[in-house]
Amino acid sequence: MDVIQKVKEINSIEFNPMQEKAIKAGLFDSNVIVSSPTASGKTLIGELTALNSVINKKKKVIYACPLKALASEHFREFKKSILN
Ligand SMILES: Nc1ncnc2c1ncn2[C@@H]1O[C@H](COP(=O)(O)OP(=O)(O)OP(=O)(O)O)[C@@H](O)[C@H]1O
Ligand SMILES: [Mg+2]
């Protein structure tokens, strides 16, 4: 499945230049560190990579973040996305 196209369609968005750059840097095939401002769309491309790993590579994904509250918030959001 083309997860890039699917994520664009479902969210009715186009990726911003930072996100395009991360994808072109080989997000799906290598280790990429993304450093960019708050709310610039880092988590979205992290989710994109996770989706590609689960759907197209049949791999498991571990999502780690520094705060328990943030992990809980993302867990609720991921669950909502899956159920929709
Ligand atoms: N290309 C895009 N077009 C429109 N909205 C977007 C795009 N990318 C991300 N968003 C939305 O912008 C908001 C911020 O995105 P996101 O949470 O991925 O940013 P972030 O860089 O991870 O922020 P933080 O540094 O706070 O973790 C979210 O609501 C997300 O859905
Ligand atoms: Mg984030």
Side-chain angles (χ1 to χ4, degrees), residues 11-80:
N11 294 289
S12 305
I13 56 160
E14 288 299 325
F15 292 129
N16 65 35
M18 178 280 288
Q19 292 167 329
E20 291 287 358
K21 195 171 169 186
I23 292 166
K24 284 198 186 105
L27 202 60
F28 290 170
D29 303 308
S30 55
N31 298 318
V32 174
I33 294 177
V34 177
S35 172
S36 80
T38 297
S40 60
K42 299 179 296 292
T43 294
L44 188 83
I45 52 172
E47 289 170 5
L48 189 70
T49 312
L51 272 179
N52 189 60
S53 295
V54 170
I55 293 171
N56 292 328
K57 298 185 176 179
K58 309 291 176 215
K59 287 187 175 175
K60 291 184 179 174
V61 170
I62 295 175
Y63 180 87
C65 59
L67 298 172
K68 195 175 169 187
L70 199 55
S72 301
E73 183 188 325
H74 282 160
F75 177 66
R76 280 195 302 274
E77 290 299 320
F78 291 153
K79 227 162 76 172
K80 227 189 316 173

